[in-house]
């Protein structure tokens, strides 16, 4: 009984002592890391299906230009990890960056990229991408992504936006629906965005223009397009119609 009482009083003291030792070890490690000389920079860019819109050498060059101390011998405490992280995340094609120091004096940079799901095409100016989260991105000099094409006068106006979630939620939902569905992402090659807010769909297989209407009731309209594929085309043939309208409720208009 006496031993149990002694353990009851000793346990908090031992836990406190262990906490103090751990805190001292962490403080010692941080001080040692801070006083250690900078040994190098390592950058890892997470590829998107082995595609790199942002290259590692591009990130290295960006950081060395912005932080000259990376080119010269310096203590780790002279280098701001937070500022480096913000600099990398300011790159328009970077979704997220994680920058940290290791115990050897190396600064590690891990980068994740935005994933393009559609390309906005302009005949007289530079194109742009739309990411899976709705961000408007510039094109990359490193790689061209084969994604859904957006054309038309209203498509060009999208490049004035920074994020489609602000004013174009319905259109973004339509693009995401196509991107996420294996069949439709393979079959729908491009969207024509009309001034009145309606959308025309163009196919990889089939010459028909699909008049989708406003980007609403998306799932219902695509089910009507599948009905056209399964029931109408086998009877009438692929070249019978040049226009298929699915924008009206409970109707498929073929002409």
């Amino acid at each position: 009984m006496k031993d149990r009482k002694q353990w009851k009083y000793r346990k908090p003291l031992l836990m406190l002592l262990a906490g103090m030792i751990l805190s001292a070890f962490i403080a010692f490690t941080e001080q040692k890391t801070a006083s250690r000389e900078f040994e190098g920079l390592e950058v890892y860019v997470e590829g998107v299906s082995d595609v790199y819109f942002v290259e590692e050498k591009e990130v290295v060059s960006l950081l060395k230009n912005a932080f000259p101390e990376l080119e010269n011998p310096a203590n780790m405490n002279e280098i701001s990890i937070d500022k480096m992280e913000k600099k990398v995340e300011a790159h328009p094609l970077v979704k997220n960056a994680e920058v940290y120091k290791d115990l050897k004096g190396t600064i590690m940079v891990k980068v994740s990229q935005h994933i393009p799901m559609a390309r906005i095409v302009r005949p007289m100016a530079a194109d742009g991408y739309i990411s899976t989260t709705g961000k408007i991105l510039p094109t990359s000099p490193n790689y061209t992504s084969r994604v859904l094409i957006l054309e038309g006068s209203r498509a060009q106006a999208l490049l004035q936006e920074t994020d489609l979630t602000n004013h174009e939620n319905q259109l973004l939902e339509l693009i995401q629906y196509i991107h996420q569905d294996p069949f439709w992402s393979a079959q729908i090659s491009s969207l024509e965005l009309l001034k009145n807010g309606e959308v025309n769909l163009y196919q990889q297989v089939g010459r028909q223009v699909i008049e989708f209407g406003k980007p609403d009731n998306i799932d219902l309209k695509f089910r009507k397009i599948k009905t056209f594929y399964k029931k109408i085309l086998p009877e009438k043939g692929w070249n019978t119609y040049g226009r298929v309208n699915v924008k009206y409720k409970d109707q498929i208009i073929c002409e």
Side-chain angles (χ1 to χ4, degrees):
M1 189 74 175
K2 185 177 180 181
D3 290 341
R4 288 185 179 178
K5 287 184 178 180
Q6 288 179 342
W7 171 248
K8 181 179 179 181
Y9 293 114
R10 288 177 182 176
K11 186 177 180 181
L13 292 175
L14 290 172
M15 291 180 65
L16 178 62
L17 180 61
M20 293 173 64
I21 293 172
L22 180 61
S23 298
F25 176 75
I26 292 173
F28 172 76
T29 303
E30 289 180 345
Q31 183 178 7
K32 188 176 181 181
T33 302
S35 61
R36 188 183 295 276
E37 283 196 356
F38 169 64
E39 295 293 339
L41 182 67
E42 290 188 15
V43 177
Y44 169 74
V45 177
E46 182 182 346
V48 181
S49 299
D50 293 326
V51 173
Y52 294 87
F53 296 95
V54 183
E55 294 186 340
E56 293 170 358
K57 62 182 181 181
E58 182 181 354
V59 177
V60 170
S61 177
L62 174 73
L63 289 174
K64 287 187 174 180
N65 287 334
F67 301 94
E69 57 269 31
L70 297 177
E71 293 279 23
N72 303 306
N75 286 339
M76 294 291 274
N77 59 1
E78 298 175 6
I79 301 172
S80 173
I81 294 299
D82 290 340
K83 289 182 180 179
M84 288 180 65
E85 200 166 86
K86 289 177 182 177
K87 184 66 177 178
V88 177
E89 289 183 337
H91 191 293
L93 293 170
V94 170
K95 184 178 182 181
N96 184 61
E98 181 184 358
V99 182
Y100 60 93
K101 307 170 183 176
D102 71 5
L103 296 177
K104 297 178 181 179
T106 304
I107 294 180
M108 312 294 292
V109 183
K110 292 186 177 181
V111 177
S112 61
Q113 309 172 82
H114 282 293
I115 303 173
M117 65 174 177
R119 182 174 182 134
I120 302 168
V121 175
R122 296 192 295 179
M124 303 300 293
D127 295 349
Y129 286 117
I130 299 172
S131 79
T132 51
T133 59
K135 297 285 186 184
I136 302 296
L137 311 173
T139 53
S140 168
N142 303 322
Y143 191 84
T144 299
S145 184
R146 297 181 64 181
V147 291
L148 182 71
I149 297 296
L150 304 188
E151 299 177 296
S153 57
R154 202 164 76 83
Q156 297 184 43
L158 295 178
L159 290 175
Q160 304 303 315
E161 302 282 344
T162 57
D163 192 327
L164 293 192
T165 58
N166 295 331
H167 306 107
E168 295 284 355
N169 264 313
Q170 285 188 319
L171 177 61
L172 178 59
E173 287 176 10
L174 172 60
I175 298 169
Q176 288 172 333
Y177 186 96
I178 295 170
H179 175 75
Q180 293 166 4
D181 187 285
F183 176 79
W184 294 120
S185 63
Q187 170 63 353
I188 304 301
S189 60
S190 64
L191 306 183
E192 181 186 9
L193 307 186
L194 306 177
K195 288 183 178 180
N196 62 3
E198 295 188 351
V199 180
N200 288 339
L201 278 56
Y202 293 86
Q203 310 161 93
Q204 293 283 6
V205 179
R207 67 181 187 86
Q208 302 86 7
V209 178
I210 300 174
E211 297 176 352
F212 197 83
K214 296 291 178 67
D216 54 15
N217 300 314
I218 294 170
D219 186 65
L220 176 61
K221 290 178 179 178
F222 274 103
R223 277 190 274 134
K224 288 198 285 185
I225 299 171
K226 278 199 172 180
T227 298
F228 169 73
Y229 287 161
K230 292 180 179 179
K231 296 185 177 181
I232 299 175
L233 282 181
E235 292 185 8
K236 300 296 184 180
W238 280 91
N239 297 319
T240 303
Y241 303 110
R243 183 175 70 91
V244 179
N245 188 315
V246 296
K247 64 184 179 180
Y248 300 113
K249 186 177 180 181
D250 300 325
Q251 295 183 57
I252 303 174
I253 301 172
C254 304
E255 295 181 349

